Amino acid sequence: MRFIDEAVVTVKAGDGGNGIASFRREKYVPRGGPDGGDGGKGGDVYVIAEDNTNTLVDYRYTRRHDAMRAENGHSRNCSGKGSDDLYLPVPVGTTVVDTETDEVLGDLIEIGQTLLIAKGGDGGLGNTHFKSSTNQAPRKATSGFEGELKVLKFELKVVADVGLIGLPNAGKSTFIRQVSAARPKVADYPFTTLVPNLGVVDIGRHRSFVMADIPGLIEGASEGAGLGIRFLKHVARTRRLLHLVDVKPVDGSDPVQNARVILNELERFSPELANLPQILVLNKIDQVNEEDLNELCTHIVAELGWTGIVFRTATLTGEGVDAVKYHLMNEIEREREREIEDPIFAEAQKERFERLEAEVRLNTEAQREAYRAARRAAREGLDLSDFDGDDDDGVEVVYVP
């Protein structure tokens, strides 16, 4: 199954049924009055979060979803049958955005959570409603109201407490395989992982957290290089970033420079994201001689000017991995407890994640538009670097794709 984390869909709620104008006619009832019933209510459209899917691929192929129209009213003051509501299943972690207003309609972060995205139209009124002392035989009835029509964007972000970041082949997939039941593909070449992978890290009875393995970033990712920042948005919901650095890359590159590449790309993509608490993991220590290991790790930390927490691991053998996962569990539990006990802290956390979500969405769209502009320029043989948008005489120039 393909991993699709964005989809644009059109939803149409059901139209309301029409009211009717009818009159009571029965034997031995000489003065029958109006008895036209109301139309039924059109079906609403909801999205519902389910745990049996982790992709929006279905909405790439079926982009239009309509609820049924309600029945018209009937005689004898019988209302028409309302149509059933339409429920669209989406993965947990889906954000619904109105493409016309850019308004975020809601986030679905819990299994079974529902969100109304299009309201069905009310039914029309039958002629019974228009009866009065001066109009005892009304022939007026109203039509049902139309259901809402919306073009919406579904954005999937994995719901995880910890996000793994690092260059390709830093050992992220091997790490998540060591600490959880997740089984991402592992190989000795870059970009083995092409989609995010989730794993539940089980520490003990009633103690667990969710970790996300994000496909590797490279230098220039914020400008579209490699996999770009397509999947970087998936760390927007995390509480901690686990930054894995290969202490002795097989290509002979400098681990300090490799770490700076990731830090720079985070800062360029989203300063708010770069400010998330990070833990540095110096990985693949089994590839270094014991007498040189301490000097090498000390050098990397000093060159980075790192003042935070540092761990040393060998994910292939599992050395040092338990210390990392227990530390993460303790940190996450402390943060969860503080959010429960301190409403001010909980509100600050909520506001921080909202800012992060907004910044990530804005920057992702900006990067996407820049990439499209570059593609258009390439097709038309233009070099955008030669233009600054303004002519020397002060006349504004608008370049139409």
Side-chain angles (χ1 to χ4, degrees):
M1 180 181 293
R2 295 178 61 196
F3 179 83
I4 301 296
D5 58 359
E6 289 186 359
V8 177
V9 299
T10 301
V11 296
K12 174 68 168 65
D15 296 336
N18 299 328
I20 69 166
S22 71
F23 295 89
R24 180 183 178 192
R25 285 181 174 81
E26 297 182 41
K27 191 175 183 180
Y28 308 121
V29 182
R31 294 186 178 181
D35 68 348
D38 300 339
K41 180 185 178 301
D44 299 328
V45 182
Y46 293 85
V47 287
I48 180 169
E50 296 187 352
D51 62 346
N52 58 356
T53 180
N54 60 0
T55 177
L56 296 170
V57 65
D58 291 340
Y59 298 105
R60 280 290 181 95
Y61 300 106
T62 306
R63 297 180 180 241
R64 174 84 185 213
H65 301 270
D66 294 10
M68 296 294 292
R69 182 184 183 278
E71 288 185 354
N72 295 333
H74 303 281
S75 58
R76 299 186 180 182
N77 290 316
C78 292
S79 298
K81 180 182 178 181
S83 60
D84 294 333
D85 295 332
L86 177 63
Y87 287 84
L88 304 178
V90 296
V92 176
T94 300
T95 301
V96 182
V97 182
D98 190 323
T99 60
E100 184 176 351
T101 63
D102 285 334
E103 176 188 3
V104 177
L105 301 184
D107 285 324
L108 291 91
I109 58 176
E110 297 179 359
I111 297 174
Q113 183 179 352
T114 59
L115 175 68
L116 175 64
I117 56 176
K119 194 175 187 312
D122 292 328
L125 301 177
N127 64 338
T128 303
H129 291 275
F130 301 99
K131 178 182 177 181
S132 67
S133 59
T134 58
N135 185 13
Q136 297 187 8
R139 298 182 177 278
K140 178 182 179 181
T142 61
S143 300
F145 292 88
E146 291 187 356
E148 290 183 322
L149 174 66
K150 291 184 178 180
V151 179
L152 304 174
K153 184 177 184 181
F154 294 165
E155 299 177 349
L156 173 61
K157 300 185 188 70
V158 297
V159 180
D161 299 295
V162 178
L164 289 173
I165 58 173
L167 287 179
N169 270 19
K172 300 185 299 300
S173 296
T174 305
F175 187 94
I176 201 171
R177 287 171 68 99
Q178 283 283 359
V179 300
S180 73
R183 289 296 176 265
K185 183 179 179 181
V186 173
D188 58 356
Y189 54 86
F191 296 110
T192 307
T193 305
L194 297 177
V195 298
N197 291 284
L198 283 179
V200 177
V201 181
D202 191 2
I203 301 298
R205 187 175 178 82
H206 305 304
R207 298 185 75 200
S208 64
F209 62 91
V210 180
M211 180 176 289
D213 169 23
I214 306 301
L217 299 171
I218 64 172
E219 189 170 7
S222 59
E223 299 173 356
L227 295 177
I229 45 78
R230 176 183 173 189
F231 296 123
L232 194 54
K233 64 183 178 183
H234 291 284
V235 298
R237 300 182 190 270
T238 60
R239 298 175 182 269
R240 296 289 186 277
L241 295 178
L242 206 60
H243 185 175
L244 268 68
V245 178
D246 185 349
V247 295
K248 194 172 183 180
V250 294
D251 61 359
S253 58
D254 182 7
V256 175
Q257 182 58 33
N258 292 344
R260 286 174 177 163
V261 165
I262 298 300
L263 297 175
N264 291 339
E265 291 303 321
L266 283 177
E267 182 67 32
R268 293 179 65 181
F269 174 66
S270 168
E272 192 74 37
L273 183 61
N275 286 332
L276 280 177
Q278 288 190 44
I279 297 171
L280 183 64
V281 177
L282 303 179
N283 192 30
K284 302 185 182 181
I285 59 174
D286 53 331
Q287 305 298 314
V288 183
N289 296 328
E290 290 187 9
E291 54 271 20
D292 299 330
L293 179 60
N294 189 61
E295 182 180 351
L296 176 60
C297 292
T298 303
H299 168 75
I300 294 173
V301 173
E303 286 295 312
L304 289 174
W306 193 270
T307 57
I309 299 172
V310 182
F311 286 95
R312 301 178 185 181
T313 63
T315 53
L316 190 61
T317 63
E319 181 182 353
V321 171
D322 284 347
V324 178
K325 71 178 188 179
Y326 278 103
H327 172 80
L328 288 170
M329 186 74 263
N330 293 334
E331 288 287 305
I332 292 169
E333 284 181 335
R334 277 196 290 267
E335 194 166 286
R336 290 172 178 170
E337 291 171 0
R338 186 179 175 188
E339 288 174 354
I340 295 174
E341 298 170 356
D342 188 349
I344 297 177
F345 177 74
E347 184 63 26
Q349 286 285 85
K350 180 181 177 182
E351 292 177 356
R352 184 186 71 165
F353 282 117
E354 288 176 350
R355 290 196 307 270
L356 184 56
E357 290 268 358
E359 188 175 83
V360 166
R361 180 176 297 108
L362 179 64
N363 293 346
T364 300
E365 190 60 34
Q367 195 269 349
R368 185 180 291 112
E369 287 300 320
Y371 175 74
R372 290 171 180 166
R375 289 286 300 273
R376 287 195 297 267
R379 287 196 302 268
E380 298 171 4
L382 298 176
D383 183 1
L384 294 183
S385 63
D386 294 337
F387 302 98
D388 58 5
D390 295 306
D391 287 344
D392 293 337
D393 58 2
V395 179
E396 182 181 6
V397 178
V398 179
Y399 299 101
V400 180

